[in-house]
Amino acid sequence: EKKEFLKGAEIAYENIITSFAIGEKEKLKTLLTKEVYINFEQAINQREKENIKSELTFIGVKESGVEKYEKIKDEYVATVKIISEIVSVKKDKNGTVIDGNPDKIKTVTDYWKFSKSVSSKNPNWFLAEIISK
């Protein structure tokens, strides 16, 4: 079950970071808790307002593991450490790179909390928090 959960977390991770990069709000809505979705939506809207284009190439997950698993009130919560490789660039309205490097693969370590209601019949977990370390 843990192996299957991690595989799902890795797929969700890839879907979330690529959907966020291209501003695919509807897809994000199905993968995030309401609170996290609002934050992502605000960031996408701000990017659009400033005419900033985000480009992301997902290379792959190098490593992942469950750091913590707990039951809090009526929710299961799993904290997952994901080490991935990506190419990430932000460009202004003229196509000039303002952040990142299109020729450099960077290794990113993320800690994401996924949650799921204890009573839910839905097998899906939702991204509930991104932890900065």
Side-chain angles (χ1 to χ4, degrees), residues 5-6 9 64-67 78-82 110-112 114:
F5 170 79
L6 274 176
S64 69
V66 176
E67 296 275 299
T79 304
V80 180
K81 177 183 180 181
I82 299 172
D110 281 314
Y111 295 86
W112 282 17
F114 291 93

Side-chain angles (χ1 to χ4, degrees), residues 91-102:
K91 296 179 178 178
D92 66 15
K93 65 177 185 264
N94 303 317
T96 306
V97 174
I98 55 173
D99 187 35
N101 182 339

Side-chain angles (χ1 to χ4, degrees), residues 20 23-25 28 40-48:
F20 177 70
E24 204 172 25
K25 295 179 197 172
L28 287 170
F40 275 55
E41 182 185 41
Q42 287 172 343
I44 290 167
N45 291 345
Q46 187 63 36
R47 229 175 31 215
E48 288 171 353

Side-chain angles (χ1 to χ4, degrees), residues 4-35:
E4 202 172 292
F5 170 79
L6 274 176
K7 190 175 181 195
E10 289 177 11
I11 292 166
Y13 178 84
E14 179 181 0
N15 284 330
I16 291 167
I17 64 172
T18 54
S19 294
F20 177 70
I22 60 176
E24 204 172 25
K25 295 179 197 172
E26 286 307 308
K27 188 166 189 181
L28 287 170
K29 228 178 234 181
T30 67
L31 299 165
L32 312 173
T33 61
K34 276 191 188 107
E35 297 80 9

Side-chain angles (χ1 to χ4, degrees), residues 43-75:
I44 290 167
N45 291 345
Q46 187 63 36
R47 229 175 31 215
E48 288 171 353
K49 198 172 113 183
E50 294 173 9
N51 237 331
I52 293 171
K53 186 172 187 243
S54 178
E55 295 176 3
L56 182 130
T57 304
F58 180 77
I59 309 297
V61 172
K62 287 178 71 172
E63 186 186 317
S64 69
V66 176
E67 296 275 299
K68 191 175 187 181
Y69 180 83
E70 56 197 332
K71 185 178 177 229
I72 303 170
K73 294 181 184 160
D74 61 346
E75 285 196 318

